Amino acid sequence: MTTAWAPITEPNATETPSLGQPAPRPAVPVTSDSALAEQYLEISMGPQHPSTHGVFRMNVVLDGERVIQLKPVFGYLHRNHEKIAETESYLGNMPYTDRLDYICSITNNWAYALAVEKLGGIEVPERAEYIRVITGELTRLQNHACLLGFLLQDMGASGTPLMYAFREREKVLDLFESLTGARMMCNYLRFGGCRVDLPAGWLDRAKAFLAEFPRFLDEFERLLVDNEILMERTQNVGVLSRELAVSSAISGPMARASGLNYDIRKADTYSIYSRFSFRVPLGHHGDVYDRYMIRFLEMHESVKILEQAMRDIPAGPIQNPAVKARLFRPKPGEAYGRIESPKGELGFYLISDGSGIPYRYRVRPPSLINLTVLEDLCLGRNVADVIAILGSVDIVMGEVDR
Amino acid sequence: MTQTPDQVFVILKHWLLGYVPTSVHAIASAVLSILPLMVVFPLLFAITTLLERKGLGRIQNRLGPNRTGPMGLWQPLADGIKSLTKEDIVPFTADHIVHFLAPVLLVVAAFLAYAVLPVGRNMVLVNLNAGVLFFFAVGSVVELAVFMAGWSSRSKYSMLGAMRAIAQMISYEVPLVLASVVVIMQAGSLSTVDIVERQATYTGIFPHWYVFTPWGFLGFILFMIAATAESNRSPFDLPEGESEIIAGYYIEYSGFKFALFFLGEYLGMFATSGIAITLFLGGWSAPLSVLTFIPSWAWFFLKLLTLICMFIWVRGTLPRLRMDQLMNFAWEFILPMALFNMVIAGLWRFMNPGAVRWFVCAFLILVPMFVLSALLKRKKKLQLRTYSFAE
Amino acid sequence: MELEILKSEIEAAIPDCRLEIVPNPAPSAQHSLRVAPEHGLAVAFFLRDSCQFDFCTNVTGVDWPAKELTEKIKVKQLVDGEEKEVDQVRKTTVPGSLEAVYHLYSVERGLGPLPLRMRTTDRESGVHLPSLTSVWRSAEFQEREIYDLYGIVFDGHPDLRRILMWDGFEDHPMRRDYVEPDDYEYEPTAHDEVLARAKEHAAKANTV
Amino acid sequence: MSRDRGSRLLGEGIIKGLAETARNFFGSYVSKQRLTTVQYPEERIPQDESFRNFPFLVYDGSDPEAGLRCVSCQICEKECPPKCIFIEKSKDKKPDAVGKPQFYPTVFDIDVSVCMSCQICVEVCPFEAIKMDVKYDYPTESRFAALLFDKHQLTKSNDYYHQIHPTEASAVDAALAAEREAAATKAAAAAAKAAAAKPAATAGAPGTATASAATSTVTPPSDTTAGEPR
């Protein structure tokens, strides 16, 4: 019976790894070969891990609890969305965009619709623009609430903030169900407008929800924002500098927490966001606490936008009649359209060769690009922080792996 | 022997002893004392698991288990049967003997701690004159069992969990003992029965519980914080931080051994809160002199249930501390406060009783608390942040 | 328009590099700038440092397979004795290539998308392009994805590995001429060619 | 919302958090808003009217075969993103609601295990023949064969459609009724014109000609893509 810690024997490198066997592991720096030598603990967090937000894996090399090397591994949820898009018509791709960032399906539709409208030069009637802003901001509310719940769940608050967040999210999903027919897979927007007009009484239900949403925000703030344990766990953890954020094109709340004033609703205004008065919160430290608070403050701003949008939504057509949804053939050319999705800058780059099927269909995934700096943020921190930092980046694997 | 309902169990035991031949008298009396404890506390464990899931549910706006039995009452039974029928998988590379012994040792150590716990008026298993010392000695065996579990299952996550558990338990054992030294100084004896006797007297209708003295209240708070850490409960549940290292030291256990770990953990929690009740909340004594008609053991279990609800309430709210913060908190805040508390208790003992003594001690406690918390805050640069807004 | 000004600025700053403006006929009018691969890095540094295009949001791979252009041309030809106009079909093949498109934005100056394009010489051997990760860190994962799905090898990339497919995978799935392996498991819907393929596989499976 | 607060006792934030969970704990006994559990099989959340799940074929009148609206133009089969609809067209024709002879599908399968209920088929169908159902639980014993719904499992009556989507169904019926009137008036006008032209063309068997003329001059159905109302 071996008492000493017998390292699990390495599969010798010559034999090629069959599918069942794990691939030979990268050379782990071992200082010397004596039994008592200091060995690094190399663990793989994921793809089945309670807090990696989906099938995401990190090869982490630990010295004790400190992280020395962290290599993310993607591809477990890769469906080659872009290859499928090159066999579907423009309309046929719309339901697939729901499956990109499956938490905010309407903002995915919006980004795709915006790119196609730029490609085809299509105008969108007034009422449709207002409906798009209302549903887009509702999506942002439920995404941020959802994220704050998950982030706190990762840090150990056993389910309580997550349940409060999901209680509110259910109300938003009920609104989406009565409008689009499905809670998460809305497939609601079309090129040049929306598919269905607001059903009777929907706007009043939305206003009623909006009236008591701030109560949830205050409850959430009282519950945890001043909590010393949360402040200790998140302040000065995973600090992202503004230069690194710009250089690695970090977008969304994660960039604004580092002081980068770049909100696409303001910087590259699309749709009718210029009509609403709202503010963009900016953090100064760029750590996990700031990313948590920025999303928290952004929810307040979204509530303001929603109030203004719901107040002055005009009547009128919701679909540009000139656009035929089914046999839509844009002229040859290319277009890159982007919106401020709750996770960051979600862009679609379409190249059309004049046929009814896009020649090239590229999705700019904010989650994947925000993960570029994950290793820089986690080096030198310990395992508990890696989970908190990953939680604050807010990734959804449907969008990362496409 | 005054009120029969209070001494009903003692009388019952003596009545049963009558039927036993005198030759085996000693063993029979020992068995008759141990058996109820071995039945009552696992039963309390079953009730607590249900209480915990219902309580957490209610905190999170949901119902909690209600499918098995009227209010989910048979849920603990269902969990027990499930853990019995689940397959017990032992990893191939595990060190089988040590792997098997770990949960057994954990539960044995937890049960040993009940020997000195005065559950009611002269209802204590063994009246050791060094009861508290015995309790802490047995309490430290738990760490050994935890490390055996972590080391022997040969898995990286369990290794991390075991390392964390050892560091946490040792660093919170010290403040736990120091917080109880204050009571021993005041009560003048290590025997748990004497400590409770001393607190059972009343002036007017108010009892002489130590928790009502300034140093006693601070000692109680420090003791409870250290007890939470000792039994790996919520803000300090790092050894089994589910979101980081999945289940810590008992990741490689399944089936009944997994249930044994839970039993051991909960028994440890009951034992430390039992000692907290004995030291600070006046053991089995009634809170008001007029209420002494209720039997003494009822008061003990009532206080135990309130403490359990406190644990559940804290578990439902607070996120988890990180490893180094947990250690800093123990060595830089709890330990100095416990030492300071001993100085205050000494001062309390030699000042003549009266209101002056009360205010002096209370003031002398609040000052270091503010100083230390400010010190800790500045060192960590924790502050409420302000955010600028771009138009 | 300002793309011409930018082009002239770059050509002034970097002596011997030739730039080409690729017009975009779509209403979005996002005309792009094509640069030869050997000057790619220099142009990128210039764009980032002096023209403040510091936000490279999107790096896309595009596959342009070889195309055959057939056009009718009038050709004078001797037909049984005398000169006659005859129209003849002439096939010219445009060589295929792989392309990397970088969409650049400027945060300070708020400038719109500037697509920067680089093309490889051909689709088999000469698939090397300079990696712009040293200029914009955001290109790191996206260039790995292009290498994984298209096969463009980025020289100078810190860690060029497959990002989405598993390491043992040889082919590049997003190329137009990619043939799907038909032995991966799928759920045969009980209808037409999918069903036929399933039956054929089942037959082959239990014969071998 | 910037807040600054002097250095406070270490535990103040934690106590505020505890108070919050206590309020939720006692609130759950009092207010419905703080207890959101729905005991699923016994109680169910009332389904919203526009909820959609798998598609179904609509037929008018009582006989599912004769009243089937679908003319198997196979547009939905081409447009379905995951390609889960399989149609085989009939050889002969049957008169549809207006009386015009139309093809009908002999085989109309939807593979429900592949369908993602995105309702693109409903959107592109020019004959309002396919609509979204609301039934979502289909426990079956086999994954492929049992989840391939054939025509008989898919066809449901128009009043079932009125039951599940009342407003949408009435709007669709109104549009269809308007269409039928337009077709009827045009047929009547064409018949009247043919009748006026016939006396000018002197002899000719009056009875059968007018009857066949009436039916044939109605807008001849173009086989493949019918006109698009939407």
Side-chain angles (χ1 to χ4, degrees), chain C residues 18 24 62 74 80 98 123 125 146 164 185 199 202:
Chain C
R18 291 275 64 69
N24 174 10
V62 189
K74 295 280 176 284
D80 50 44
L98 297 169
R123 293 179 71 248
S125 57
I146 295 175
L164 291 175
E185 313 86 24
K199 285 204 180 61

Side-chain angles (χ1 to χ4, degrees), chain D residues 100 178-194 214 217-220:
Chain D
K100 185 149 53 67
E179 225 176 85
R180 282 192 196 110
E181 270 136 40
T185 49
K186 198 184 304 111
K193 189 157 56 53
T217 52
V218 167
T219 52

Side-chain angles (χ1 to χ4, degrees), chain A residues 179-198:
Chain A
L179 175 63
T180 68
R183 289 156 42 87
M184 285 169 68
M185 300 296 149
C186 301
N187 180 16
Y188 175 58
L189 300 187
R190 290 293 176 266
F191 321 128
C194 315
R195 171 163 56 86
V196 171
D197 201 343
L198 302 182

Side-chain angles (χ1 to χ4, degrees), chain B residues 57-357:
Chain B
R58 282 290 172 173
I59 284 179
Q60 296 164 0
N61 301 331
R62 52 185 174 84
L63 276 179
N66 61 358
R67 289 293 160 138
T68 52
M71 285 271 291
L73 280 179
W74 306 125
Q75 188 64 33
L77 194 65
D79 290 347
I81 294 169
K82 180 192 75 174
S83 67
L84 275 171
T85 51
K86 274 265 175 72
E87 186 203 354
D88 183 0
I89 301 163
V90 178
F92 175 70
T93 53
D95 187 336
H96 291 275
I97 298 168
V98 178
H99 188 79
F100 174 76
L101 275 182
V104 170
L105 187 64
L106 188 72
V107 171
V108 161
F111 270 123
L112 272 179
Y114 288 98
V116 290
L117 207 59
V119 176
R121 195 186 306 281
N122 54 48
M123 282 164 64
V124 69
L125 202 55
V126 170
N127 182 3
L128 286 176
N129 46 26
V132 176
L133 187 65
F134 172 81
F135 175 82
F136 288 126
V138 160
S140 65
V141 169
V142 170
E143 287 137 28
L144 183 64
V146 158
F147 195 71
M148 272 165 64
W151 179 278
S152 67
S153 17
R154 287 290 195 286
S155 120
K156 292 180 176 135
Y157 281 121
S158 73
M159 191 62 208
L160 275 177
M163 288 295 188
R164 284 184 177 185
I166 291 302
Q168 170 180 321
M169 283 187 176
I170 289 176
S171 65
Y172 275 93
E173 192 82 28
V174 174
L176 193 75
V177 172
L178 284 179
S180 58
V181 157
V182 169
V183 166
I184 294 160
M185 267 165 56
Q186 214 56 16
S189 119
L190 266 169
S191 148
T192 48
V193 178
D194 297 355
I195 294 173
V196 174
E197 291 296 339
R198 201 171 297 280
Q199 294 180 55
T201 56
Y202 300 87
T203 53
I205 58 166
F206 295 110
H208 288 156
W209 290 357
Y210 287 134
V211 82
F212 295 136
T213 62
W215 54 269
F217 183 70
L218 178 63
F220 178 65
I221 290 175
L222 297 183
F223 193 92
M224 286 321 287
I225 290 175
T228 328
E230 197 63 30
S231 54
N232 297 341
R233 288 287 300 183
S234 168
F236 306 96
D237 55 0
L238 252 97
E240 87 253 346
E242 307 81 31
S243 59
E244 293 129 23
I245 43 171
I246 301 165
Y249 49 87
Y250 54 82
I251 191 171
E252 296 300 343
Y253 285 89
S254 56
F256 194 62
K257 285 194 218 148
F258 186 80
L260 273 185
F261 266 105
F262 267 90
L263 177 65
E265 190 191 307
Y266 276 85
L267 288 181
M269 184 173 88
F270 299 152
T272 28
S273 19
I275 284 291
I277 292 167
T278 319
L279 297 177
F280 296 98
L281 296 178
W284 38 262
S285 61
L288 297 172
S289 57
V290 292
L291 294 173
T292 46
F293 59 89
I294 298 174
S296 61
W297 41 267
W299 283 118
F300 179 82
F301 280 103
L302 214 60
K303 291 175 193 166
L304 191 57
L305 276 180
T306 40
L307 281 185
I308 289 169
C309 290
M310 276 291 296
F311 277 123
I312 294 172
W313 184 15
V314 163
R315 175 168 183 212
T317 317
L318 299 181
R320 192 177 300 124
L321 270 171
R322 208 178 47 205
M323 201 55 211
D324 47 346
Q325 291 155 358
L326 185 115
M327 311 303 271
N328 297 345
F329 188 60
W331 296 101
E332 279 167 11
F333 184 75
I334 305 275
L335 196 57
M337 288 309 289
L339 293 175
F340 210 81
N341 196 17
M342 277 160 54
V343 169
I344 303 291
L347 193 68
W348 174 275
R349 187 168 168 76
F350 293 109
M351 285 175 71
N352 39 38
V356 169
R357 174 168 73 163

